[in-house]
């Protein structure tokens, strides 16, 4: 995945076979967001009209993995956090397992056979370096390309169902960061996989932290 000296659009074409100018401005915008938040290292060269931006050495794997993860986790800040926070990376492995495994397709897009399980295993093994080893890509076409700007993979997956199962609604609330809704929905889950139970525990922890912070603010306001 040698992309040194390539522009972001050139690197995306090499990594995914996508011409962003014709097929997906969104994919280019997402990649550019990783440049802005510091996940992807670039160098800039001054040209006559505006600076040209080229990838630094060794950034191809990071760009590949960031865009594959961004297919599920739409916020670039969350993707960057997966690279930096092992606990959060494990949480996200649980989300991917609940969302993508045991499916042959999502929102009409075929999944690569076995690649979802491989992606989960990769994420769950925090010894595997997201900057050095490409994560298995379960998508034959990246959802950012297939779905466009108006929806995310999870939203599209849930909308296609006639009614939402409690598990799917819980995952939606979790990915949206709506911890109160996620906790309420988790009470409707009579049973679940180890991954779902881990996510329920994490929701409880986040709510407890939020309440402690709120109580601390109230204490200082009263002083």
């Amino acid at each position: 995945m040698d992309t040194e000296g390539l522009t972001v659009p050139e690197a995306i074409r090499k990594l995914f076979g996508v011409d962003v100018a014709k097929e997906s401005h969104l994919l280019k915008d997402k990649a550019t967001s990783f440049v802005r938040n510091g996940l992807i290292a670039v160098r800039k060269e001054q040209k006559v009209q505006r600076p040209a931006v080229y990838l630094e050495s060794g950034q191809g794997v990071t760009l590949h993995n960031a865009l594959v993860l961004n297919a599920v986790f739409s916020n670039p800040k969350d993707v960057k956090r997966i690279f930096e926070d092992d606990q959060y990376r494990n949480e996200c492995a649980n989300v991917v397992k609940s969302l993508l495994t045991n499916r042959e397709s999502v929102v009409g897009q075929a999944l690569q056979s076995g690649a979802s399980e491989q992606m989960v295993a990769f994420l769950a093994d925090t010894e595997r370096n997201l900057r050095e080893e490409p994560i298995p890509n379960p998508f034959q076409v990246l959802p950012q390309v297939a779905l466009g700007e108006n929806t995310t993979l999870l939203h599209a997956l849930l909308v296609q169902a006639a009614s939402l199962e409690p598990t799917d609604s819980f995952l939606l609330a979790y990915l949206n960061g709506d911890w109160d809704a996620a906790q309420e929905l988790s009470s409707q889950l009579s049973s679940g996989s180890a991954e779902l139970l881990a996510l329920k525990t994490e929701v409880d922890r986040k709510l407890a932290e939020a309440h402690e912070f709120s109580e601390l603010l109230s204490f200082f306001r009263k002083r």
Side-chain angles (χ1 to χ4, degrees), residues 3-21:
T3 57
E4 182 180 4
L6 299 182
T7 64
V8 167
E10 290 169 344
I12 292 173
R13 186 183 301 113
K14 182 173 183 178
L15 295 172
F16 298 101
V18 176
D19 184 342
V20 292

Side-chain angles (χ1 to χ4, degrees), residues 210-223:
H211 292 157
E212 288 175 3
F213 182 69
S214 179
E215 290 174 358
L216 183 62
L217 286 178
S218 297
F219 171 76
F220 282 111
R221 287 179 182 136
K222 292 176 180 177
R223 296 189 65 177

Side-chain angles (χ1 to χ4, degrees), residues 39 60 132 145 202-203:
L39 183 61
E132 296 178 356
V145 177
E202 182 60 21
V203 167

